[in-house]
Amino acid sequence: MKLVKPRKLSKGDNVAIISPSWGGAGEFPARYEAGKNQLIAEFGVNVVEMPNTLKSADFLHKNPEARADDFMNAFTDPDIDGIIAAIGGDDCVRLLPYLDFEILKNNPKIFMGYSDTTVMHFACLKAGFGSFYGPSILAGSAESGGMFDYAKDSVKETLF
């Protein structure tokens, strides 16, 4: 099987932020906002929060189907150009029963995250396209003083 390469991102593109693992964005809204603002300032993208991105960690833990819906809807929404995880965690495996790999296969997009979101990277792989193991919003983009130069350069070179 030949892996499809999703289209690179450009300034002005819409990037969905999802919480497929842990609800850190809802638990630490100031850190989330710092990361979101850094992403906007550094790369010129428009950030789109999916319906459950900012829900509490408790809600997200109890509702893996809601997390999977955000993941799937970000891929099927023609106005979304790329997808970044808010943070990792330890619970993505519970999303697998709710994923439609045929839909993913027909809608390849940039997906970036790390740690527990490795499960979602394997979902992308199974669907036939590559994804990107890299910084999340809360751990990477929201660093005090902004993103580290090496992270900015790497993301810019890889995704844009």
Side-chain angles (χ1 to χ4, degrees), residues 14 19-20 52 58 61 64 66 77-78 80 85 97 114 116 120 159:
N14 295 319
S19 294
N52 298 294
D58 185 57
H61 176 74
D77 186 335
I80 300 293
Y114 84 104
D116 183 52
M120 309 317 284
L159 302 186

Side-chain angles (χ1 to χ4, degrees), residues 37-54:
N37 291 336
Q38 180 69 21
L39 188 70
I40 293 166
E42 198 58 50
F43 304 110
V45 296
N46 303 308
V47 169
V48 177
E49 283 109 2
M50 298 306 286
N52 298 294
T53 300
L54 301 175

